[in-house]
């Protein structure tokens, strides 16, 4: 993995409070029904042996980003820090990036008709602040930096080499998460 930013999400610490998705929505004013950051609720097992997991999901800022390749007008670019971002001035709203993302992390804004997604709060990073989701997580389940921490793994329905790493992401949980997000892995 090249140098740059990575995000760590510890599923063992996530309480499912949605503070991350709420702060992201407030920070970026995502339209009703659209999210840059969501908390998926995954239920497993059969009664009486059930469990519930909370999995924060967002753009994975892939090193092999299918959205970047799918964009016919080069509106999606990767920064030197590894952040995959959308240039709203260049986006024509074709939706090819939405279809190409195996993580379901991109949406078309119904007001601007432009693609939108997590950009690791690049505007906050530029002034020395952490992404909104990191700074509001009450359990410190989300962290952000440049080092890959031991015990974390990538959510990888395809060979995209994501920059978001999860602790506690079991193969079964990953399979269920793929079903929720409609990943191509389960198609």
């Amino acid at each position: 993995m090249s140098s740059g930013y990575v995000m760590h999400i510890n599923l063992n610490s996530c309480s499912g409070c949605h503070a991350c998705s709420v702060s992201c929505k407030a920070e970026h004013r995502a339209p009703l029904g659209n999210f840059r950051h969501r908390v998926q609720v995954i239920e497993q097992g059969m009664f009486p042996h059930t469990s519930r997991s909370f999995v924060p999901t967002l753009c994975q800022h892939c090193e092999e980003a299918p959205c970047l390749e799918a964009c016919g007008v080069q509106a999606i670019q990767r920064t030197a820090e590894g952040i995959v971002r959308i240039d709203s001035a260049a986006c024509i709203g074709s939706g090819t990036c939405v279809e190409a993302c195996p993580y379901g992390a991109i949406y078309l804004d119904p007001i601007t008709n432009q693609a939108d997604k997590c950009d690791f709060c690049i505007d906050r990073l530029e002034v020395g602040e952490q992404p909104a989701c990191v700074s509001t997580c009450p359990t410190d389940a989300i962290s952000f930096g440049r080092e890959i921490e031991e015990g974390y793994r990538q959510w990888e329905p395809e060979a995209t080499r994501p920059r978001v790493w999860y602790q506690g992401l079991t193969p079964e949980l990953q399979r269920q998460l793929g079903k929720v997000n409609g990943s191509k892995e389960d198609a």
Side-chain angles (χ1 to χ4, degrees):
M1 177 174 285
S2 63
S3 64
Y5 290 119
V6 292
M7 183 170 283
H8 301 96
I9 301 175
N10 185 340
L11 302 181
N12 301 318
S13 297
C14 180
S15 66
C17 72
H18 296 270
C20 53
S21 57
V22 171
S23 65
C24 178
K25 194 162 189 65
E27 180 83 18
H28 300 287
R29 300 177 187 204
L32 189 62
N34 294 286
F35 298 88
R36 287 178 162 212
H37 190 123
R38 301 181 303 254
V39 177
Q40 304 289 355
V41 179
I42 308 292
E43 296 184 353
Q44 299 178 46
M46 299 291 284
F47 181 81
H49 306 287
T50 61
S51 66
R52 177 178 282 173
S53 298
F54 303 103
V55 184
T57 61
L58 59 148
C59 173
Q60 302 288 299
H61 296 276
C62 307
E63 290 196 40
E64 302 295 330
C67 62
L68 203 143
E69 298 297 321
C71 181
V73 295
Q74 288 77 45
I76 302 176
Q77 302 292 320
R78 181 186 337 281
T79 71
E81 298 291 346
I83 299 170
V84 177
R85 69 182 304 188
I86 299 172
D87 177 357
S88 60
C91 180
I92 61 170
S94 69
T96 56
C97 58
V98 175
E99 295 170 15
C101 179
Y103 302 98
I106 307 173
Y107 67 90
L108 280 181
D109 185 307
I111 298 165
T112 65
N113 196 41
Q114 293 177 324
D116 198 14
K117 64 172 208 58
C118 167
D119 62 6
F120 280 160
C121 290
I122 199 165
D123 53 328
R124 292 173 63 99
L125 296 175
E126 289 171 349
V127 296
E129 296 178 3
Q130 291 283 301
C133 61
V134 175
S135 64
T136 59
C137 180
T139 63
D140 295 325
I142 306 173
S143 61
F144 187 77
R146 296 181 185 276
E147 301 295 321
I148 297 169
E149 295 180 24
E150 193 172 324
Y152 284 76
R153 62 181 284 176
Q154 297 165 308
W155 166 28
E156 198 161 359
E158 294 187 1
T160 60
R161 296 177 40 217
R163 294 175 105 33
V164 178
W165 292 73
Y166 292 90
Q167 186 172 52
L169 183 64
T170 65
E172 176 58 20
L173 189 56
Q174 185 166 325
R175 189 181 71 73
Q176 293 292 331
L177 191 57
K179 287 181 180 180
V180 170
N181 286 307
S183 79
K184 294 173 188 169
E185 177 182 78
D186 295 312

